[in-house]
Amino acid sequence: MNTALPERAKFHHMKDGTAEDWQVIMKEFQVAAAELPDRMLEHLRILEGDCGGFPVDRLTHCLQTATLAHKDGRDEEYVVCALLHDIGDTMGPYNHADIAAVYLEPFISEQNHWMVKHHAIFQGYYFFHHIGLDRDQHKQFESHPHYAYTKEFIEKYDAPAFDPDAETYSLEFFEPMVRRVFAAPKASLYKAALE
C-alpha cells in the first residue's frame, strides 16, 4: 500500500525558508483553520461527565450558560462566548478564563473578549470568600467600560447555569453558531495573508 505523505517545507531553519515552502505551509494552515470549529466542539465534548464537584458537568454548565444567553436574545457571537467561556477548565484549572479568551480573541469583539477573559474574577464574588480569597476583586475594574457588561454576564447567564433541572439546549443546537463565529477571524496577525 502506497500512502503518500503530505507535502512539507524543505528548510531546517526558518531563515532558509522559500516562498514555495511557505505556500506549502499556508495550504496546511488553511486546512487546519477550516477544522477549528470541529476541534472546539470536540474539546467541549471532553467536558461531558467532568463535574469537578459541581452540581452539573462542565459541558452542561457551558450549554446552560449559552441556553440562557440565547433565550434572552443575545447575538450569536455572545452566545458562542457563553458556550465556550469555560472551555479551558480541563487544560487550565489555574487560568481557564485566559485560555477561553485566547481561543476566541481573533473571532470576537473586544468587549466580548474582555468579558470572557475576566469572567473568573467576577464570578469569584459568589465563592471567593469561602476559599480564603477576596470576593470583591472584581471591583478593581469598576471604572472599566466593560465592567457592567461582564457583571451582567455572570449574574444572568454564568452563575445560574448549574441547575440539573434547567432547560439545556444540545451542543448540536449551537454547532452552526460555532461554525459561523469561527468561519473567519475579525483580527489576527495572519488575517491579511489569508485574504
Side-chain angles (χ1 to χ4, degrees):
M1 179 184 222
N2 184 9
T3 306
L5 293 173
E7 189 177 6
R8 295 183 185 178
K10 307 276 189 268
F11 62 80
H12 294 186
H13 190 296
M14 289 181 94
K15 70 179 173 63
D16 300 322
T18 65
E20 292 78 22
D21 287 328
W22 285 98
Q23 286 174 355
V24 169
I25 292 166
M26 288 305 292
K27 181 180 172 187
E28 292 298 317
F29 177 93
Q30 290 173 331
V31 170
E35 295 170 349
L36 182 57
D38 293 316
R39 288 193 303 277
M40 288 298 192
L41 293 163
E42 188 57 34
H43 192 84
L44 277 172
R45 289 183 187 98
I46 290 170
L47 304 179
E48 186 173 14
D50 180 351
C51 293
F54 289 97
V56 298
D57 67 34
R58 296 178 194 283
L59 175 60
T60 300
H61 169 66
C62 289
L63 293 170
Q64 279 186 16
T65 306
T67 299
L68 290 167
H70 179 73
K71 288 173 64 175
D72 200 31
R74 294 296 182 155
D75 67 41
E76 197 164 86
E77 180 182 298
Y78 189 101
V79 170
V80 170
C81 288
L83 178 67
L84 297 176
H85 77 286
D86 279 349
I87 197 167
D89 274 355
T90 57
M91 294 299 289
Y94 300 105
N95 66 334
H96 79 280
D98 294 320
I99 291 171
V102 167
Y103 287 160
L104 286 160
E105 186 174 16
F107 303 96
I108 62 175
S109 70
E110 191 274 330
Q111 182 178 35
N112 283 335
H113 175 260
W114 199 92
M115 174 185 76
V116 172
K117 181 172 177 56
H118 293 87
H119 83 269
I121 291 170
F122 282 72
Q123 70 183 188
Y125 174 77
Y126 295 106
F127 70 92
F128 279 1
H129 58 293
H130 294 304
I131 62 171
L133 299 175
D134 177 9
R135 73 186 301 189
D136 291 321
Q137 286 185 45
H138 63 93
K139 289 185 178 180
Q140 68 185 299
F141 300 113
E142 281 181 315
S143 63
H144 194 280
H146 306 317
Y147 178 84
Y149 187 78
T150 304
K151 192 169 186 247
E152 180 183 53
F153 169 72
I154 298 303
E155 291 171 354
K156 292 179 77 172
Y157 312 122
D158 188 11
F162 295 95
D163 182 352
D165 300 319
E167 181 177 19
T168 306
Y169 296 170
S170 69
L171 185 55
E172 290 72 28
F173 176 84
F174 296 109
E175 183 175 340
M177 296 180 204
V178 171
R179 293 190 183 288
R180 286 189 290 270
V181 168
F182 283 93
K186 292 181 176 185
S188 168
L189 172 64
Y190 305 106
K191 188 174 187 304
L194 300 171
E195 295 174 342

